[in-house]
Amino acid sequence: MNVNKLAKKFDKLKNTTRQHSFIYISDDGCIDVEYCHKVLKFEKEQIILQLAKSNLKIIGLELSMKNYGFMNVKIFGKIHSIEFDDNKEGII
Amino acid sequence: MKKKFGHYGFAYVRFTAIGAYKEKLISSIIENNVQIYDIKESKGELSAVIKASDYLYICKSAKKYGIKTRVSERFGLYFRLYGYRKRWGLVIGPMCCVAVILVLSQFVWDIRISGNDNVSKSQLYALADECGIYPGAYVHNFSVSDCESLAMADIKDLSWISVEREGSRIYIKVKEKEIAKPVDIPPETPCNIVSDYDCQLISATVKRGVLQVKTGDGIRKGQLLISGTVDNNNDGVIHIHAEGELIARCQQTEEFYLPYRQNKRKPISEEKHSTYFMFGDFSIKSPFDNVEISDTDDFSYREEYGFINIFGIKTPFRYKKGIYTFYENEQVTYMQEDIINQLNKQRGAFEANFLQDCRVISAIPEIIKEKEGIRLKVTYTVDRNIGIKQKISLVYDKAE
């Protein structure tokens, strides 16, 4: 197997098994989330992301999203609040 | 967002996705590191922007999750150009432009000469022409090094020449030899003054040295006039730089001769033209005017410039008209009066050129009529400055 491919796969595995996610809140208009495992809910007023340890609920208006790099997302819009939820029931 | 992708990207599409598991689709996209932008949700529909090349992957993933996708908008350079795919003029135009530039850059359009003073530009242009460098010449048909070598061999006054090509322009840079001025005898070098004419001395002013002749004496050419060897009472003989002003009366005879039958150069009434269209410094020869010149032809050439008129309207473009006037030689027999007039003209030219620095006391002309022509003999009596400096060569005996 190509060494580069092997390194990439290892990096991907490392990221998926990572125990921490990082959240950068620039202002009430932009949030960067690194190591977002899944998007659980995507609506205009609410986005729920599954992070390494918990779920992140972002509530706001006219929310939109883009990804950059592997498992990194950026959320735009008028953000009102963010919540953390350990309840894994929401995971689909 | 459209502006962002439409202006700078190559090919992007906005798609809409309808289905229950659209979050899974987004997760799958993020997990597989596919770039997706501007994900929005509106009335149960998901819309997002992706690269056109990734749309197939999105379709496959969407099908897996039971989601229906549809492209709602296309933008980017690729889709912008796609609309013009049948307009061949847009492609052919720039291609023709590039082709014209490429073709024209293969020819010489301008020759610039710098650094010449005594060597004329026409001489250098003629030499360049001989080497194949002329406006319109193909750049690969001549060698600049050969041209440099030929120029150095042909033009003796050159000490250096450089022929360079920059695009369609040829730069000829020259440096001329410095002409050595006749060296005067330095003031500290001992010298005599000797006569350069056969004459009679009428006045002498000696600044340094000893005058060897008296006023009124007849002098032969080469005779010592002022000596630089001076007898010093205490130290014996010393040598100095002789100086003085000597005026003498000289007599000289000049002869001018012209035959009755002469060859006269007469212009032929018909002139030939060659027209060039000027574009800035460039000139393109008109293909309609073709002047053929053989080596034996006797002709003169002059140029006239003017603006091109179209239906009486003056355009900013100029033309150059080269006019060739051809001459023929004709045998003419002149009258005596005409010959004498011509001889007097020759005499006037001689006096203006050669007797300018002298004071002419008398000029006695004598006309001698011969069988074939007339001879004018003029005896001049003039007062002029005489004397040239001659270095004193000293030879010392080693034994002393």
Side-chain angles (χ1 to χ4, degrees):
Chain A
M1 185 181 272
N2 190 335
V3 178
N4 286 335
K5 281 183 181 174
L6 193 66
K8 273 182 186 174
K9 285 201 170 180
F10 175 70
D11 202 36
K12 199 173 173 181
L13 180 69
K14 207 167 68 175
N15 284 332
T16 47
T17 55
R18 198 180 282 271
Q19 293 300 307
H20 298 284
S21 296
F22 298 93
I23 303 164
Y24 303 96
I25 304 173
S26 308
D27 49 24
D28 66 344
C30 181
I31 294 176
D32 287 9
V33 180
E34 286 184 12
Y35 313 121
C36 162
H37 285 209
K38 274 181 186 173
V39 179
L40 300 179
K41 194 173 184 182
F42 186 87
E43 285 173 1
K44 212 173 178 179
E45 288 87 22
Q46 185 180 302
I47 295 172
I48 300 173
L49 304 175
Q50 186 192 341
L51 307 185
K53 275 191 170 177
S54 61
N55 295 342
L56 175 69
K57 186 195 255 186
I58 299 157
I59 298 164
L61 291 170
E62 298 290 333
L63 297 177
S64 69
M65 194 167 78
K66 68 171 266 190
N67 74 331
Y68 65 98
F70 176 67
M71 293 174 78
N72 300 340
V73 294
K74 201 174 250 194
I75 292 156
F76 303 96
K78 182 75 179 167
I79 297 161
H80 288 168
S81 64
I82 59 169
E83 285 175 24
F84 292 97
D85 180 14
D86 284 340
N87 185 8
K88 298 283 178 184
E89 286 175 11
I91 301 168
I92 300 165
Chain B
M1 189 59 79
K2 182 183 173 181
K3 270 189 181 178
K4 188 177 171 186
F5 298 109
H7 281 267
Y8 304 110
F10 185 69
Y12 290 91
V13 291
R14 179 180 289 282
F15 70 94
T16 55
I18 303 164
Y21 302 111
K22 53 186 181 286
E23 287 86 3
K24 281 193 173 182
L25 176 65
I26 298 169
S27 296
S28 158
I29 290 167
I30 292 168
E31 203 174 327
N32 286 288
N33 201 14
V34 174
Q35 290 296 308
I36 184 163
Y37 315 91
D38 199 24
I39 310 165
K40 282 180 183 171
E41 197 267 342
S42 173
K43 294 174 187 173
E45 263 187 15
L46 183 84
S47 83
V49 175
I50 54 157
K51 285 181 183 171
S53 55
D54 292 332
Y55 184 66
L56 192 64
Y57 167 78
I58 300 286
C59 287
K60 281 179 184 171
S61 294
K63 199 174 177 183
K64 196 170 137 187
Y65 296 115
I67 297 169
K68 201 174 176 183
T69 58
R70 188 168 57 85
V71 174
S72 61
E73 209 176 345
R74 296 177 181 86
F75 38 86
L77 189 66
Y78 173 79
F79 294 113
R80 197 174 280 267
L81 291 178
Y82 189 74
Y84 299 112
R85 67 192 183 280
K86 287 183 181 174
R87 298 192 179 186
W88 291 105
L90 292 174
V91 180
I92 290 167
M95 280 171 69
C96 286
C97 182
V98 170
V100 165
I101 291 168
L102 282 174
V103 168
L104 290 181
S105 65
Q106 297 300 306
F107 297 93
V108 173
W109 293 114
D110 190 19
I111 300 169
R112 293 194 177 178
I113 295 170
S114 62
N116 62 317
D117 193 18
N118 295 321
V119 180
S120 67
K121 278 192 176 180
S122 55
Q123 197 176 353
L124 290 166
Y125 279 129
L127 191 123
D129 191 81
E130 200 179 322
C131 300
I133 302 173
Y134 50 85
Y138 185 51
V139 291
H140 299 295
N141 274 0
F142 59 82
S143 156
V144 289
S145 56
D146 289 353
C147 186
E148 286 170 356
S149 309
L150 189 68
M152 289 302 290
D154 270 19
I155 306 172
K156 301 293 176 197
D157 291 341
L158 292 183
S159 65
W160 172 81
I161 184 167
S162 157
V163 182
E164 294 166 13
R165 184 174 74 84
E166 279 184 21
S168 293
R169 190 166 285 162
I170 299 286
Y171 290 94
I172 301 178
K173 297 171 187 169
V174 296
K175 192 158 176 62
E176 294 174 358
K177 282 179 186 166
E178 288 180 7
I179 298 162
K181 291 176 183 173
V183 182
D184 279 345
I185 296 171
E188 67 273 9
T189 307
C191 70
N192 296 321
I193 294 177
V194 296
S195 171
D196 48 345
Y197 289 98
D198 292 334
C199 53
Q200 184 190 14
L201 191 69
I202 54 169
S203 81
T205 311
V206 181
K207 291 175 185 168
R208 295 176 77 188
V210 182
L211 185 67
Q212 300 293 313
V213 287
K214 291 175 197 165
T215 308
D217 280 359
I219 298 164
R220 295 189 68 189
K221 189 177 178 181
Q223 188 178 339
L224 181 64
L225 300 173
I226 301 172
S227 172
T229 307
V230 180
D231 186 14
N232 192 334
N233 292 330
N234 298 327
D235 299 334
V237 173
I238 57 166
H239 301 283
I240 59 165
H241 185 91
E243 270 187 274
E245 195 176 312
L246 301 157
I247 296 170
R249 183 155 293 171
C250 310
Q251 229 178 29
Q252 69 183 83
T253 306
E254 296 297 334
E255 278 188 12
F256 308 96
Y257 175 78
L258 279 176
Y260 291 116
R261 288 180 68 80
Q262 292 176 25
N263 280 330
K264 192 183 174 187
R265 196 167 172 248
K266 188 182 167 187
I268 301 166
S269 58
E270 189 192 351
E271 289 180 335
K272 288 184 179 175
H273 303 109
S274 62
T275 310
Y276 298 83
F277 298 108
M278 305 291 291
F279 298 97
D281 291 342
F282 307 132
S283 59
I284 295 173
K285 194 177 179 183
S286 162
F288 305 111
D289 300 331
N290 195 16
V291 180
E292 286 179 4
I293 299 164
S294 68
D295 292 341
T296 54
D297 281 345
D298 181 13
F299 69 93
S300 68
Y301 177 76
R302 67 191 161 89
E303 289 176 349
E304 283 179 5
Y305 290 87
F307 287 95
I308 298 168
N309 286 317
I310 297 172
F311 302 118
I313 300 163
K314 190 178 171 185
T315 64
F317 301 105
R318 295 192 308 154
Y319 69 88
K320 182 173 82 175
K321 197 174 186 182
I323 301 165
Y324 296 84
T325 309
F326 290 87
Y327 294 92
E328 61 179 7
N329 285 324
E330 197 182 30
Q331 280 275 334
V332 181
T333 307
Y334 287 98
M335 303 288 288
Q336 275 190 15
E337 291 78 20
D338 297 332
I339 295 289
I340 290 167
N341 282 337
Q342 287 180 28
L343 286 170
N344 281 328
K345 274 185 189 171
Q346 279 190 11
R347 179 189 157 185
F350 173 80
E351 287 174 4
N353 286 321
F354 299 103
L355 301 178
Q356 201 180 8
D357 300 333
C358 309
R359 192 161 70 88
V360 180
I361 306 297
S362 68
I364 303 160
E366 186 188 353
I367 293 169
I368 304 158
K369 289 175 185 168
E370 294 177 2
K371 192 181 175 185
E372 296 289 326
I374 295 175
R375 193 177 297 278
L376 173 65
K377 200 171 174 182
V378 187
T379 307
Y380 292 99
T381 306
V382 295
D383 287 352
R384 58 154 54 104
N385 287 312
I386 59 162
I388 49 168
K389 289 179 179 175
Q390 203 170 58
K391 196 175 166 186
I392 300 171
S393 300
L394 300 171
V395 181
Y396 294 100
D397 192 349
K398 282 184 181 175
E400 288 176 5

